[in-house]
Amino acid sequence: MSVTPAVSDPQAVAEAFARARSPQNLRRAAVAGGVGTALEQFDFAAYGLAAALVFPAVFFPGDDPLAGALKSFAAYAVGFCARPLGGFIFAHFGEKHGRRWVLFGTLALMGAATFLIGVIPSHAQIGVAAPIMLFILRILQGAGAGAEQAGSATLLTETAKKGRRGRLSSSVMIGAAGGTVLGTAVFAIIQALTNDAQFESWGWRIVFWLSILVTVGAFLIRRHLAESPIFAELKQSAGEAEREKAPLAQALRYGWKPILRCFFMNWGPNTNSYTVQTFFVTFVTTSVVIGTKPGGGDLFFPKGTITDIQLVGAIIAMGSAFCWGFLSDKIGRKPVTVALAGAGIVLPFVYFSLLNTGVTVLVGLAVILGFIFAAYGTVGAQMSYFPELFGSRYRYAGVTIAREVSAVVGGGVAPFICAALLEHYHTWVPLAIYTGFTMLCALAASLMAPETLDRDLTISTDAVPGEAHTATD
């Protein structure tokens, strides 16, 4: 039985575009897009620092520091493995019911899981149940994060006017950097106000409890956010049968080429991003010897110092994300992405050689460069580039599949792989080769991707090289 397509209501579509692109909603969209990813990165920054500095002793006692870190990063990786599942679920409903709807569900799941991590008793109190609970909550945390960035990027790209998509969508990564700043700052402040025993016992928990404040703030900001006008137009013009089709199946059937391309474009940056934000801490605090303890034994780079340096790097990254997104509006998505991917092949050798000196200024330079290029460089342009690569039929689903699956084999396992390589080879060179290789793959995929600057996002088909369709406003 055939279904007659719904008749498009031009007035309803025009009203949706006018509301979504009003100055008030554009400002609200920028803040709303950033605050959700701020919560996500607050969660991940807090977990990453705790995994390197606290969790080995709290949840995996009896191991040497690097072995304990390996187990902590295994739980870290589990959270990333859950991201595709959460992303698929939320993307399905995001294509059917709207982008805005999903952004509330992701907030609730991430916020609750992060708060509860701070409640888990230690291994000394409940034994093996403690790390099991940690793994479960990491799964829920990862599932919530699975559609957050893709949803925010898609909504903002579809909402922004032509010529301003890169800078507006970069607010997703500005928020992510801000969340890293907030998580790292809170971590550093509580670390400074407590001694090592107090921080290991209860101080670290306060960081996770405070995530509830970020969650509530995000809910209040997103409450009045307008739906994507592209989704509103698609809903008006598509027939009921078309809207009822499974968006994930549609994306995998018809959009597998851009999904595969985006997978490799994101694999390298994601790997390098979480290496900078998480593994750098483990590297300098377990492998970089700066002297001898008064009572004998190696003195490693101070934990408090590397936390402060990470904080400075994250602050600088907020400006970096905007600059790369702004530049992509001026010269195109592809040139920015290609240039950053090419630089990323060489930069890991610079980062680790600087870290290995143990000199505070040089360690700081390595971290700052890592945040500018590896952590928040390519992604500043990707936030608008990836949605533009897909057609309107399954844009959200396509971006989510590509980003979240690549996140599992990228950032999800990067700290674990780096720790394993370091433990086996006792040198940073294999780490630089591994992270540089992932950027080589990103460069190859970026060179094959079409330019999409100012593409008409109402087109249902995916972007192709030489496409002449551009948005009218």
Side-chain angles (χ1 to χ4, degrees), residues 58-90:
V58 175
F59 295 111
F60 309 101
D63 296 307
D64 65 77
L66 193 54
L70 273 170
K71 292 180 180 179
S72 293
F73 287 138
Y76 186 78
V78 165
F80 273 86
C81 291
R83 289 179 66 133
L85 177 61
F88 297 163
I89 294 172
F90 282 113

Side-chain angles (χ1 to χ4, degrees), residues 39-300:
L39 172 62
E40 176 187 345
Q41 287 305 114
F42 179 95
D43 299 347
F44 278 76
Y47 187 91
L49 288 168
L53 303 176
V54 179
F55 288 173
V58 175
F59 295 111
F60 309 101
D63 296 307
D64 65 77
L66 193 54
L70 273 170
K71 292 180 180 179
S72 293
F73 287 138
Y76 186 78
V78 165
F80 273 86
C81 291
R83 289 179 66 133
L85 177 61
F88 297 163
I89 294 172
F90 282 113
H92 175 82
F93 290 104
E95 294 286 17
K96 287 182 173 291
H97 305 297
R99 299 23 171 152
R100 180 178 176 270
W101 178 90
V102 170
L103 299 184
F104 286 96
T106 57
L107 279 178
L109 195 53
M110 285 190 299
T114 303
F115 177 83
L116 291 174
I117 286 177
V119 180
I120 302 174
S122 68
H123 187 281
Q125 294 173 307
I126 61 173
V128 71
I132 291 174
M133 293 173 68
L134 178 66
F135 272 68
I136 292 172
L137 289 175
R138 277 292 296 153
I139 290 172
L140 295 177
Q141 192 185 52
E148 174 59 41
Q149 288 188 10
S152 295
T154 301
L155 186 145
L156 290 172
T157 301
E158 291 181 337
T159 299
K161 296 180 180 180
K162 182 178 71 173
R164 303 184 65 86
R165 293 174 187 164
R167 67 198 76 177
L168 183 64
S169 299
S170 71
S171 64
V172 176
M173 286 298 117
I174 295 172
T180 302
V181 169
L182 186 59
T184 307
V186 172
F187 201 96
I189 290 170
I190 296 175
Q191 196 174 29
L193 294 176
T194 57
N195 58 42
D196 289 346
Q198 291 172 331
F199 188 77
E200 186 177 298
S201 176
W202 51 265
W204 67 270
R205 298 180 183 276
I206 298 175
V207 182
F208 289 84
W209 295 340
L210 290 176
S211 67
I212 198 68
L213 299 179
V214 184
T215 305
V216 172
F219 267 113
L220 293 176
I221 292 171
R222 287 184 170 178
R223 185 175 51 178
H224 300 295
L225 182 64
E227 181 57 87
S228 158
I230 303 297
F231 176 80
E233 181 174 20
L234 182 65
K235 187 176 181 179
Q236 282 288 327
S237 60
E240 186 65 28
E242 186 69 23
R243 290 203 302 270
E244 286 302 315
K245 290 180 179 178
L248 290 173
Q250 294 289 301
L252 290 171
R253 181 178 179 182
Y254 299 108
W256 64 269
K257 287 184 178 179
I259 287 174
L260 190 62
R261 185 179 294 124
C262 289
F263 170 91
F264 284 106
M265 290 172 69
N266 190 57
W267 179 39
N270 200 271
T271 298
N272 283 260
S273 176
Y274 284 96
T275 298
V276 169
Q277 296 184 75
T278 301
F279 185 74
F280 275 15
V281 177
T282 297
F283 180 77
V284 298
T285 58
T286 63
S287 301
V288 178
V289 179
I290 60 173
T292 304
K293 294 180 180 179
D298 293 331
L299 180 65
F300 295 103

Side-chain angles (χ1 to χ4, degrees), residues 302-329:
K303 294 180 179 180
T305 302
I306 188 59
T307 303
D308 294 339
I309 291 174
Q310 290 281 106
L311 174 60
V312 173
I315 292 172
I316 294 174
M318 295 177 70
S320 173
F322 176 80
C323 289
W324 295 119
F326 180 86
L327 187 61
S328 75
D329 278 336

